[in-house]
Each structure stands twice: as C-alpha cells, then as structure tokens.
Amino acid sequence: MDEGQKKKSAIEGEWLATGIALGVAFGIIFENIGLWLPIGVCIGLVGPALKRIKKENDNKAE
C-alpha cells in the first residue's frame, strides 16, 4: 500500500467515525437510534465521495 492510498483510507475512516458519532448523538437526542445510526453511516460514507467529485470537477474546470 503506497502513501497516497494509506492517507485516503485514513480520511475516509475519519468521515465514517464522525458520521457514526453524529448518528448516535442525534439518535439519543430524538430517542430513535435505530433510525439515526444508519443515517450517520450514510453521511460518513457519502462525505468523501462528494468531496472527491467536487475536486474532480474543479480540476476539469481549470
């Protein structure tokens, strides 16, 4: 595994951890962890993809 791949997976892991934490927090606040935990996981998985798409579009615009 090269350095770029290792950094990319670490960033994606940070997004996933943040999404799970937010999902659990909102689940506790609204008393529905069963709904908010999967929403947090989705946020954690979609976040890096959206960031990557934005970066690719910015590179194409230049």
Side-chain angles (χ1 to χ4, degrees):
M1 184 183 304
D2 65 341
E3 190 68 30
Q5 184 69 20
K6 185 183 279 188
K7 185 174 180 179
K8 180 181 172 186
S9 64
I11 292 171
E12 290 174 354
E14 291 173 6
W15 274 89
L16 186 58
T18 304
I20 290 172
L22 287 174
V24 170
F26 281 114
I28 291 171
I29 291 169
F30 295 116
E31 297 178 0
N32 196 350
I33 292 180
L35 172 68
W36 284 97
L37 182 61
I39 291 173
V41 170
C42 289
I43 291 169
L45 294 176
V46 171
L50 292 176
K51 192 171 183 178
R52 188 174 334 133
I53 290 170
K54 182 179 178 188
K55 185 183 287 187
E56 288 174 0
N57 287 341
D58 289 344
N59 290 341
K60 287 181 183 178
E62 293 175 357

